[in-house]
Amino acid sequence: MTSVPRVALSPGTITTVLAAAAIPAAGWAAHSVVWHRRLADASRDKLTGTLRREAWEPQIQRFIDRYGDNALLCVCDIDHFKQFNDAFSHHVGDLVLKHTAGRLMSWAGRHSIVGRMGGDGGDEFVVCAWVGASRRTLRLDQLNRALREPIPIGDRQFVDVAVSIGAATPDAIGSRDRSQLQRAADVAMYAGKHRGQAVQATRAHIGAVSINGRRPGRIGTHAGPEAA
């Protein structure tokens, strides 16, 4: 007679199993919705609603794998962001971040990916959207104009904002690797800093030194061999 292996369950596992068994079949749909909402909330930045790094990095790579040369990856940096906190307040800084994130998501559309770089306190975003080659310049100009609209901070009060934008596509840099595209977009963004227009990366931008897809010394990087 073949013996059946015994499996030891931890107290936490037993509690989970018992709780699951107590849920009526009719209640599974509602339970599933709540569970997935919690998972979704955990993957998003609480302030801006954009994805956290651990969520957007793999999603962007899958997006690139699926859409190839039509995947447009942008790195967007709010110019002189510190001044909003210093000259006004952290509340105003938060409003600038939230409005910028909202404009990015609106521009990119439903099936795009928008993430916040650098975690809490970061003033940079990464966006990956489907944009055909013939429409890249037009769409980037639209994004640039949208991000430069004054941001409301109170009763009839607005602050001017500027965002530097670097963009990269697989065909332009010769790679479908997310980190390579991000690096090229980041370098292109820095090259066009404060110029008032988006810069599209070329193969020349991909050779720049970077860590985690960003130039050494910036938020989200650390000392390492590439920084030397």
Side-chain angles (χ1 to χ4, degrees):
M1 181 177 179
T2 304
S3 61
V4 179
R6 300 177 65 183
V7 179
L9 298 178
S10 66
T13 302
I14 293 173
T15 301
T16 302
V17 171
L18 291 175
I23 299 174
W28 270 111
H31 177 74
S32 178
V33 169
V34 171
W35 180 253
H36 282 90
R37 281 178 180 171
R38 288 177 179 174
L39 290 176
D41 290 344
S43 69
R44 292 191 176 275
D45 174 62
K46 292 181 179 179
L47 176 64
T48 64
T50 57
L51 292 171
R52 294 177 179 273
R53 176 180 287 273
E54 59 270 22
W56 61 254
E57 280 188 340
Q59 288 191 36
I60 284 180
Q61 185 59 65
R62 289 193 293 270
F63 191 99
I64 295 167
D65 292 340
R66 180 175 182 180
Y67 295 109
D69 292 344
N70 289 320
L72 178 72
L73 188 151
C74 300
V75 171
C76 306
D77 178 41
I78 302 174
D79 296 341
H80 305 299
F81 176 73
K82 190 174 181 293
Q83 74 179 9
F84 297 111
N85 291 330
D86 293 346
F88 298 96
S89 67
H90 284 279
H91 171 66
V92 169
D94 287 349
L95 287 175
V96 170
L97 288 169
K98 287 192 285 188
H99 278 276
T100 298
R103 291 170 179 181
L104 287 170
M105 289 187 278
S106 178
W107 172 84
R110 288 182 56 192
H111 302 295
S112 61
I113 299 162
V114 181
R116 187 176 180 186
M117 300 174 68
D120 294 341
D123 60 343
E124 292 179 293
F125 297 90
V126 60
V127 184
C128 198
W130 191 100
V131 179
S134 64
R135 291 177 53 82
R136 287 174 191 165
T137 299
L138 172 65
R139 294 287 284 131
L140 287 170
D141 286 344
Q142 291 173 343
L143 176 61
N144 187 51
R145 289 196 299 271
L147 294 178
R148 287 178 172 270
E149 285 292 321
I151 289 176
I153 61 172
D155 185 27
R156 297 184 181 180
Q157 289 184 299
F158 297 82
V159 291
D160 291 325
V161 62
V163 179
S164 295
I165 306 166
T169 54
D171 58 333
I173 68 168
S175 173
R176 292 192 176 187
D177 179 71
R178 190 272 313 165
S179 62
Q180 297 279 358
L181 284 164
Q182 185 180 332
R183 172 190 303 191
D186 185 70
V187 174
M189 181 274 292
Y190 185 75
K193 197 74 173 159
H194 310 307
R195 292 186 183 179
Q197 61 184 15
V199 177
Q200 297 185 51
T202 66
R203 290 174 186 261
H205 293 100
I206 203 172
V209 174
S210 76
I211 303 172
N212 299 334
R214 313 180 76 195
R215 294 184 311 284
R218 302 180 67 198
I219 297 172
T221 66
H222 57 276
E226 285 187 286

